[in-house]
Amino acid sequence: MTSELDLIRPDWPAPDRVRAVSTTRLGGVSQPPWHSLNLGSHVQDDPQHVSVNRGRLASELAFEQGAFGWLSQVHGTELVTLPVDGVPVADASTTTQAGQVCAILTADCLPVLFCDRAGTQVAAAHAGWRGLCAGVLEQVVASFTAPTGEIIAWLGPAIGPGQFEVGPEVRDAFIATGDRAAEAFSTSGVRPGHFMADIYCLARQRLEKAGVSAVYGGDLCTVSDSQRFYSYRRDGQTGRMATLIWLES
């Protein structure tokens, strides 16, 4: 049977037992403005629709719904190790246990997946600009027992550099913490005093500084592709996509 879910599978040299996908908005039952595969339970969508959507995802990936490590994301740097009870307040998760799914919800913020080349640990991070600037990616890198040179990362669908207009306070915050952060900001074609930010570039800079040079992805824009992706910047009230990673036995 052909799947109705439009899943993105990272193009990166992960070990065979590392599996990862990023959902799009296609294949669910949610009604406008959340149509259709909304997986976020915090965006005022019908809870029954969210439950059906999460069930479809679980069925597609051959998991029980309890395998998903959903988080209550707050744009911070807290990391939890799965399995954990309930829905913890955190913006990153990691696990060494097969069958535990690290799950991040986004609609413009940057989802980042991690694994080591030996296939013994995986992790996922929610990196909006605040969490990225505060060090959420560095927290994830520090959680790995493998040397940083053995860690690889994948940057999932996020707001692209041609769409992410920010105020000077965002640029100033990054420049205060990164020597090369100014390279990720441009004044071209925006309101006076504002900047276009490249969150993919900023993430690569932070990862490189943390010792992770093998970084893949970073070529999808959630704002520009309204058919495939949710975008809070574009639509305001909208759904959430999930970016997931796990280890197989």
Side-chain angles (χ1 to χ4, degrees):
M1 182 176 66
T2 302
S3 170
E4 295 180 356
L5 304 191
D6 175 30
L7 301 180
I8 296 167
R9 301 184 185 276
D11 182 10
W12 64 335
D16 289 343
R17 70 182 301 241
V18 174
R19 301 299 172 88
V21 299
S22 188
T23 69
T24 66
R25 68 186 303 165
L26 305 177
V29 299
S30 291
Q31 301 301 302
W34 305 277
H35 57 103
S36 74
L37 191 70
N38 169 45
L39 299 166
S41 61
H42 63 295
V43 293
Q44 289 75 57
D45 191 7
D46 185 327
Q48 291 186 338
H49 291 166
V50 177
S51 180
V52 170
N53 290 341
R54 289 187 174 187
R56 287 190 178 187
L57 178 62
S59 178
E60 173 73 16
L61 301 179
F63 278 116
E64 297 294 330
Q65 289 207 43
F68 293 84
W70 302 112
L71 306 176
S72 178
Q73 298 167 193
V74 293
H75 298 275
T77 63
E78 187 71 21
L79 176 144
V80 296
T81 299
L82 303 179
V84 65
D85 292 333
V87 181
V89 176
D91 284 272
S93 61
T94 186
T95 190
T96 58
Q97 292 194 22
Q100 291 289 323
V101 183
C102 297
I104 296 296
L105 294 171
T106 61
D108 284 338
C109 290
L110 174 61
V112 184
L113 300 181
F114 299 81
C115 71
D116 62 355
R117 293 188 183 276
T120 64
Q121 184 177 353
V122 294
H126 164 237
W129 80 260
R130 291 179 179 84
L132 179 60
C133 189
V136 67
L137 300 187
E138 291 88 339
Q139 285 281 89
V140 175
V141 173
S143 75
F144 273 77
T145 57
T148 54
E150 292 298 309
I151 300 170
I152 64 175
W154 181 76
L155 310 180
I159 187 169
Q163 300 289 341
F164 194 19
E165 184 179 356
V166 300
E169 73 283 356
V170 177
R171 181 177 182 270
D172 291 346
F174 277 101
I175 288 177
T177 61
D179 298 338
R180 298 168 47 215
E183 299 173 7
F185 295 88
S186 168
T187 58
S188 176
V190 298
R191 292 176 291 169
H194 287 68
F195 302 87
M196 301 304 290
D198 187 340
I199 199 168
Y200 287 128
C201 178
L202 290 165
R204 289 190 182 97
Q205 289 178 355
R206 301 300 285 260
L207 288 168
E208 182 179 356
K209 191 172 182 180
V212 180
S213 59
V215 181
Y216 301 85
D219 56 358
L220 296 170
C221 177
T222 49
V223 180
S224 300
D225 192 343
S226 60
Q227 180 177 356
R228 294 189 85 192
F229 300 123
Y230 294 117
S231 169
Y232 182 81
R233 175 66 66 102
R234 183 187 64 233
D235 299 327
Q237 189 172 34
T238 191
R240 296 294 186 271
M241 300 162 295
T243 300
L244 316 162
I245 190 166
W246 67 96
L247 293 168
E248 293 204 332
S249 301

